[in-house]
Amino acid sequence: MLYAGLVFDEPKYIDYAVDQCFKMYDVFMDKSNGLLHQTRGFLEDKTKVSDDHWSRGNGWGIIGMVELVRYLPKDHPKYNEAVERFKAHCAAIIKYQDFRGLWRQEIPEKLSWEESSGTGIFLYAIGIGIRHGILDKETYMPVLKKGIDGLYKFCIDDDYSVEKCCRGCLCPGEGDMKGTVEAYLVIPYPLKNDSHGFGPIIMAMTEAQKNGIEDIVKE
């Protein structure tokens, strides 16, 4: 809707895009840690959201917000709010980058397995934020470099296969387990060459190059 509004010079399309993006954040945001849950409407109580803080689910949120910030006209009355929402999500996410530069399937859970597709989307969004002067370069460039290094070393094989990508993960589990953190941890599992895995890594690497990261070495 944002792109259509810009192409056709139709403000109501742009406003609709902003409204939808903000509403999604309002519904899924966990204010205790600044991360997003994935789903609503899949549990017995249709108003309840899932308990997760899923890696790629947060990626789906932040990719919408970064594209909104990137293309929303700066004189739009909600531009500054969009920037602040994006910056807040980034600030929440970087707290959980692990020692290898990656993010985990259940982001806050230190014993969760590392997940490549969410990691790739986060790095893509951070790269855009740095290039457009929205994110502080001194703070976020080390995050970007560490993440790109981790993706290359631990998620891309020598034959360019992609590792550690979560399969489709729409509110997993049955009964009382459905939508719980436990379900997101133990039911989905990392796959090699899953269809969700390639795009995020390509986007992350593209942003790395645009931010001047030219050489990465696999030890």
Side-chain angles (χ1 to χ4, degrees):
M1 294 302 296
L2 176 63
Y3 303 146
L6 294 172
V7 168
F8 294 111
D9 192 23
E10 182 51 80
K12 67 181 180 181
Y13 292 171
I14 297 174
D15 292 342
Y16 183 83
V18 173
D19 188 50
Q20 287 296 304
C21 203
F22 285 9
K23 282 181 176 178
M24 287 293 181
Y25 264 67
D26 291 341
V27 168
F28 294 114
M29 177 62 67
D30 182 344
K31 293 182 180 179
S32 71
N33 58 20
L35 301 175
L36 301 175
H37 301 295
Q38 187 201 4
T39 66
R40 186 178 73 173
F42 289 84
L43 303 172
E44 186 174 350
D45 179 354
K46 300 303 181 184
T47 66
K48 188 177 185 300
V49 298
S50 49
D51 295 330
D52 68 291
H53 308 92
W54 181 37
S55 175
R56 193 162 69 241
N58 275 264
W60 295 148
I62 205 166
I63 196 172
M65 192 62 76
V66 74
E67 295 299 325
L68 182 67
V69 168
R70 185 180 186 182
Y71 293 108
L72 188 65
K74 289 182 172 56
D75 60 354
H76 190 279
K78 295 294 181 66
Y79 174 79
N80 289 335
E81 183 178 353
V83 168
E84 291 308 311
R85 285 176 180 259
F86 170 65
K87 289 170 67 174
H89 198 182
C90 288
I93 284 169
I94 65 170
K95 295 176 184 177
Y96 299 102
Q97 188 180 34
D98 74 10
F99 69 102
R100 302 205 297 186
L102 307 175
W103 280 266
R104 299 184 181 278
Q105 162 75 353
E106 170 62 23
I107 294 173
E109 178 52 64
K110 291 182 179 180
L111 297 181
S112 178
W113 46 274
E114 294 168 325
E115 203 282 317
S116 62
S117 66
T119 294
I121 299 172
F122 298 156
L123 297 173
Y124 169 75
I126 287 169
I128 290 174
I130 294 170
R131 285 197 299 113
H132 288 263
I134 298 166
L135 298 178
D136 175 58
K137 188 172 184 178
E138 184 176 349
T139 300
Y140 284 92
M141 185 58 78
V143 175
L144 180 62
K145 289 180 177 178
K146 185 177 181 180
I148 291 298
D149 187 64
L151 275 182
Y152 184 55
K153 287 181 177 178
F154 305 113
C155 301
I156 304 175
D157 295 334
D158 290 340
D159 64 355
Y160 299 106
S161 295
V162 171
E163 303 281 356
K164 299 182 180 294
C165 180
C166 183
R167 64 177 175 83
C169 190
L170 191 56
C171 200
E174 300 293 338
D176 291 341
M177 190 179 183
K178 188 172 180 64
T180 62
V181 169
E182 181 185 6
Y184 278 84
L185 283 172
V186 303
I187 295 177
Y189 45 86
L191 296 175
K192 180 175 182 174
N193 289 338
D194 184 81
S195 59
H196 299 89
F198 300 100
I201 287 181
I202 292 170
M203 293 191 304
M205 293 298 176
T206 299
E207 275 304 315
Q209 194 276 333
K210 289 182 176 180
N211 275 280
I213 302 174
E214 297 285 350
D215 298 310
I216 45 179
V217 178
K218 185 177 290 188
E219 295 175 354

